Amino acid sequence: MLIFAMAEHSRSLTQLCECFQGRVPKRADWMSLLGLANETLTTTALMEFVTRFEDRIPEDVCRYIREMFERNVARNDRLAAQLAETVAAMNDRGVTPVLLKGAAMLATAARPHWGSRLMSDLDIMVSPDQIDATLDALFALGYSEHFLAPPDGGKWYMELKRPSDVGMVDLHRALPGPAFFYRPSGDVKQHCKMMPVGRGRAYIPSATYQALILTIHDQFQDADYWIGNIDVRHLIELRDLAVSPEGIDWEALAALTPSKLARNALETQLVALFRLLGVAVPTRMRSRFVPRLQHRRRLAQARLPLLRQVLLPIAILDYRNYRDELGRSNRTGEIVSDRKWALPKSDTLRFLRGLSREQRAGKI
């Protein structure tokens, strides 16, 4: 029974990706397909597919996806109003925030597209010297602290909530993931445009820089690169950025990731973007051995979850790069060994094993 379930999961992933590429799967198992869409938080992203192929899809499947989409539009309407109110209040205190991830989408996408993305919060970034003014603005709006990252957590961020809202505000003072990956690109505002948000204004990263942020968020903040997870929802967002009017500047994106580790992580995402969603990624950015191996590992684990522990040692392929690049940046002046291979410490291996056993929302 277990092997049968795994085979069904494998077929569902293939069929779900066919839907996102605009093809109706042959002999589709719609119950399994919708189950995986729910698991990956991508059900509402199927609305375009339903609209295009309604006459070839079972009526109850169309009805379910349409209902989910319409409810999500209503929910994101409330999030958009909350975002506009929040940005205006910050502006009134002299703060112009940078909108990240879903918040940037709400500020730039046309309303008919809002329902495609399931969102639980609004990610907003301000500079460290503007935190106090920002909190004054948010507390004046009735927000209260829900969670504050511990001092030893490596990154400061605060979650703020109000009883009347459908989502929280995630307040950041740095971009997601290790700062090392953003140093080559300089100040984030160099890669942003100032745009109106309601009666206020905010910085919105370019499509290319949003692609970088999504990649670093998934691959290193969420550790997907080390443990082999796939975030299908964020792959769809990368696809949407690639086909947007602005589009992704592939050359510029490559220039933003000059280190070996960042390049391998980015190209692993781009291999998946090409293989699973059919996005026209340049061949030179999806043809190297390590990213292709990492993609095969991720696909094998998605189809056969029992392989997660077995394939975990593949993470060691890039551990040397981690020590040379990110590790050195965190320990200025430390001499890194000249050995070509480096093994993680036992604590690191235990940490990765623990992560690989977790089932994260939206990831397979």
Side-chain angles (χ1 to χ4, degrees), residues 2-3 6 300-311:
L2 179 60
I3 292 178
M6 289 177 176
Q301 291 181 185
R303 291 172 170 170
L304 299 171
L306 289 178
L307 293 177
R308 293 173 67 83
Q309 297 289 310
V310 176
L311 298 180

Side-chain angles (χ1 to χ4, degrees), residues 67-97:
E67 177 72 15
M68 291 280 287
F69 181 85
E70 291 173 355
R71 291 185 178 213
N72 198 44
V73 169
R75 187 178 189 279
N76 285 351
D77 279 344
R78 295 179 62 183
L79 279 173
Q82 180 185 351
L83 177 64
E85 178 192 32
T86 301
V87 168
M90 290 182 178
N91 289 173
D92 291 343
R93 303 275 180 158
V95 177
T96 305

Side-chain angles (χ1 to χ4, degrees), residues 111-127:
R111 183 178 177 274
H113 299 292
W114 286 359
S116 296
R117 191 186 195 281
L118 283 169
M119 298 173 53
S120 61
D121 49 41
L122 298 170
D123 287 282
I124 299 174
M125 188 182 81
V126 300
S127 60

Side-chain angles (χ1 to χ4, degrees), residues 194-210:
M194 182 139 2
M195 299 184 63
V197 181
R199 70 173 181 84
R201 297 178 70 81
Y203 290 105
I204 311 295
S206 68
T208 300
Y209 208 78
Q210 287 188 56

